[in-house]
Amino acid sequence: MNILVLNCGSSSVKFQLINTDQQLIELNTDKRLAHGVIERIGGPALVHFSVVNADGSSRSHREAVPLRDHSAAIEKIVQWIISQEANIPGISSYADIAAVGHRVVHGGEELTSSMMITDSVIKQIEDCIDLAPLHNPQNLKGIYAIKKVFGGTAKQVAVFDTAFHHTLPDYAYLYAIPYQFYRRHKIRRYGFHGVSHRYVQYRYRTLVGLERENVNVISIHLGNGCSICAIKAGHSLDTSMGMTPLEGLVMGTRSGDIDPAILEHLSHKEGYSQAEVQSVLNKQSGLLGISGLTNDMRELIAEAVENDDRRAKLAIDVFAYRIKKYIGAYLAAMNGASAVIFTGGIGENSDFVREKIAHGLEWLGLHLDYDRNAATIRGKEGKISQDGSRLEAWVIPTNEELMIARDTFRCVMGLELPR
Ligand code: ADP
């Protein structure tokens, strides 16, 4: 079954076309047929598509073309996928794309697993806009656009970033503010990056041959957004992002944890409106805010190492220290774990940052293998701790699109979803 996986942002759409079915899932041989991104939707958009050849190499197509909205961008993607130019084997018409899987950021308390998108599910996703005003409207644009491009009969599935965390116990998800605010406004921790943490959990147990019930690991997703998840007995016990993706670790431009009293203080001192304070915390903080240079970890490391830039170093130190603190907290919350697992652009590629985080954790039983750490970059997966470490360290490149494609296949076929 050919599944189109869509991830819609405010001015971008990322896609993958994945061929999957029950047997391919069991053998872990699902095939990525094409992938790409359209950026700067609403203006002269930048299109970058690739077709994956049978030998794993790829053919790329780039163009700049005006695209007024998400609907136009998605039509462009679908037209290209079925085109002669793309020449994807077995795909020449709309009917060859069996279903569309959407990454949806917030499912609230009700939408706790992947599901077929019906009008009532759309209504529920709309109801969650309040909780994720920056994300859910973009995801919905993709859903409306597919309806428009394929017609009302398109099979669409929503895969929620919050769903993996629906197992959080009440003592982990409640904030210590008056309880009626939880009841009235659903103010609680939801957690995000769930598709990625779930993939890490699945892939780790496949690699080491464990049943899900025996997986006790800390999954650390470090991309532009960053979050950490305590996975106990295969399920999310706690995670650092909260009601929104702003809480927790230091991120590219987001502050993560902060004393809530600072908001009022900042607004008073700088004369900021609430929206301006939110914008500072979401867009001007984190690595960018501390360094004053960039939100890009690769550039920061270059500044720190080659130019000895003090604030670049400080930004990396604050970033790594916060992660280390969370590892300690989660090990205590979980009564111990067997591994910490790095994923996301920084987690997968930066042996430098991983070493900084692991530094000093030998007393916990984490002994990094420096050669393995240096060699496990650019899409490689594997253990980076020394053999015999009581707490292992791993790198597992995330694959959210694969999870979305598989869930979409299962929902369309009416199959049971993995717990
Ligand atoms: P997103 O969360 O947008 O999907 P990614 O997971 O691709 O982002 O992560 C982007 C981050 O990964 C950026 O900060 C980038 O600098 C960082 N990154 C990518 N490659 C490296 C590298 N070799 N060393 C350090 N950081 C890297």
Side-chain angles (χ1 to χ4, degrees), residues 14 221-225 295-298 301 344-346 349-350:
K14 287 188 196 148
H221 180 114
L222 307 176
N224 276 312
N295 63 331
D296 189 296
M297 182 57 94
R298 221 172 343 194
I301 295 173
I346 300 171
N349 292 300
S350 182

Side-chain angles (χ1 to χ4, degrees), residues 17 19 27 33 47 85 102 131 147 152 336 343 357 370 373 387 389 410:
L17 184 70
N19 183 260
L27 298 172
L33 304 174
V47 170
E85 189 202 339
H102 296 266
L131 295 167
K147 263 189 155 183
T343 195
I357 296 165
Y370 295 101
N373 185 37
D387 293 337
S389 273
R410 292 176 182 123

Side-chain angles (χ1 to χ4, degrees), residues 234-248:
H235 296 280
S236 178
L237 170 77
D238 204 351
T239 191
S240 57
M241 284 177 167
M243 187 180 91
T244 75
L246 184 55
E247 191 182 348

Side-chain angles (χ1 to χ4, degrees), residues 226 240-242 245-251 255-258 322 326:
C226 300
S240 57
M241 284 177 167
L246 184 55
E247 191 182 348
L249 303 181
V250 175
M251 315 185 205
S255 63
D257 294 338
I258 187 169
R322 180 85 51 90
Y326 265 94

Side-chain angles (χ1 to χ4, degrees), residues 32-248:
R32 187 167 71 148
L33 304 174
H35 56 98
V37 60
I38 299 186
E39 290 172 314
R40 299 198 203 158
I41 296 167
L46 299 176
V47 170
H48 186 188
F49 296 156
S50 297
V51 182
V52 182
N53 298 320
D55 64 1
S57 63
S58 52
R59 285 177 279 129
S60 283
H61 166 88
R62 282 174 195 268
E63 67 178 299
V65 57
L67 293 169
R68 70 185 177 285
D69 57 19
H70 283 66
S71 186
I74 287 173
E75 182 153 15
K76 173 91 192 160
I77 290 170
V78 175
Q79 287 297 344
W80 180 78
I81 285 174
I82 64 176
S83 70
Q84 296 263 329
E85 189 202 339
N87 194 20
I88 303 171
I91 300 195
S92 56
S93 75
Y94 280 49
D96 296 323
I97 301 172
V100 181
H102 296 266
R103 178 182 189 189
V104 179
V105 168
H106 217 307
E109 279 199 318
E110 309 297 331
L111 305 170
T112 58
S113 73
S114 304
M115 58 186 67
M116 295 296 299
I117 296 176
T118 60
D119 287 344
S120 85
V121 170
I122 292 181
K123 168 83 178 54
Q124 283 175 286
I125 299 172
E126 287 168 346
D127 288 345
C128 293
I129 288 178
D130 230 13
L131 295 167
L134 301 179
H135 298 96
N136 274 27
Q138 324 301 344
N139 305 150
L140 280 161
K141 279 184 194 164
I143 295 170
Y144 306 142
I146 288 293
K147 263 189 155 183
K148 199 165 146 197
V149 174
F150 280 78
T153 55
K155 294 194 176 73
Q156 303 199 65
V157 170
V159 178
F160 301 96
D161 245 348
T162 44
F164 182 63
H165 304 298
H166 84 277
T167 49
L168 255 59
D170 50 7
Y171 55 81
Y173 72 64
L174 266 189
Y175 292 112
I177 58 175
Y179 192 77
Q180 69 260 29
F181 297 142
Y182 164 60
R183 274 217 296 258
R184 257 193 248 153
H185 309 301
K186 298 280 176 240
I187 295 175
R188 51 160 284 182
R189 174 181 313 285
Y190 290 96
F192 299 87
H193 283 151
V195 183
S196 176
H197 293 305
R198 186 175 134 217
Y199 176 78
V200 163
Q201 174 277 132
Y202 147 79
R203 188 69 192 140
Y204 174 77
R205 78 179 142 90
T206 308
L207 289 170
V208 300
L210 281 178
E211 291 298 319
R212 183 161 182 180
E213 289 67 31
N214 298 323
V215 175
N216 297 302
V217 297
I218 296 177
S219 166
I220 310 173
H221 180 114
L222 307 176
N224 276 312
C226 300
S227 77
I228 179 164
C229 181
I231 301 176
K232 189 171 167 72
H235 296 280
S236 178
L237 170 77
D238 204 351
T239 191
S240 57
M241 284 177 167
M243 187 180 91
T244 75
L246 184 55
E247 191 182 348

